[in-house]
Amino acid sequence: MEGPQFSTVAESKLYRSWGMDVIGMTNLQEAKLAREAEICYATIALVTDFDSWHPDHENVTVDMIVSNLTKNAEMAQRLMAEAVGRVPASRNCSCGSALANAIITSKESIPAETKRELASLIGKYVQ
């Protein structure tokens, strides 16, 4: 689904009953792909609007969201510029070997063409 997904009041009340303070569009796919590519990954979550449960705020509008998205994009650029300078030259986390024990197909069963196509991801594990 493209674009933002707004919660209904019922969904918002359910999330609040679970003790949730923040409702976000998922980034599960990105996190999974980064893990499979052995890339360190972090999420920057920036608020665009109050959810529909909140009685003290005006209704969410597209203009409100676009305005907040624009501000958030500027903030994200500043955050990234700051973060890049703090990334260590070498990493000591487990991200770089996330696939070491994750490939369960025997090396002999993986077609040569597949090995070539996925060499940048799995080459160090299946030669």
Side-chain angles (χ1 to χ4, degrees), residues 28-42 95 98:
L28 175 64
Q29 295 86 348
E30 292 87 349
K32 287 176 67 173
L33 290 171
R35 185 71 171 173
E36 290 177 3
E38 299 184 331
I39 297 171
C40 298
Y41 180 85
C95 299

Side-chain angles (χ1 to χ4, degrees), residues 103-116:
I103 301 170
I104 59 173
T105 304
S106 69
K107 296 175 187 178
E108 299 77 30
S109 297
I110 302 173
E113 182 179 345
T114 301
K115 288 179 182 179
R116 276 193 306 278

Side-chain angles (χ1 to χ4, degrees), residues 7-125:
S7 300
T8 65
V9 174
E11 288 172 315
S12 296
K13 288 182 178 180
L14 175 65
Y15 297 143
R16 288 187 53 75
S17 76
W18 291 345
M20 295 181 186
D21 295 319
V22 177
I23 300 169
M25 296 191 316
T26 182
N27 60 356
L28 175 64
Q29 295 86 348
E30 292 87 349
K32 287 176 67 173
L33 290 171
R35 185 71 171 173
E36 290 177 3
E38 299 184 331
I39 297 171
C40 298
Y41 180 85
T43 296
I44 298 173
L46 302 168
V47 176
T48 57
D49 58 273
F50 284 99
D51 206 30
S52 57
W53 69 268
H54 206 296
D56 298 333
H57 296 280
E58 60 189 276
N59 290 334
V60 175
T61 66
V62 171
D63 290 338
M64 176 193 304
I65 291 171
V66 169
S67 173
N68 288 336
L69 283 172
T70 300
K71 292 173 190 170
N72 286 347
E74 293 168 1
M75 173 63 76
Q77 289 173 355
R78 288 193 302 272
L79 286 169
M80 290 303 300
E82 175 70 23
V84 165
R86 295 178 180 214
V87 174
S90 61
R91 57 185 175 175
N92 60 356
C93 60
S94 62
C95 299
S97 60
L99 293 180
N101 297 306
I103 301 170
I104 59 173
T105 304
S106 69
K107 296 175 187 178
E108 299 77 30
S109 297
I110 302 173
E113 182 179 345
T114 301
K115 288 179 182 179
R116 276 193 306 278
E117 289 175 352
L118 299 177
S120 62
L121 297 174
I122 66 170
K124 63 184 176 182
Y125 303 113

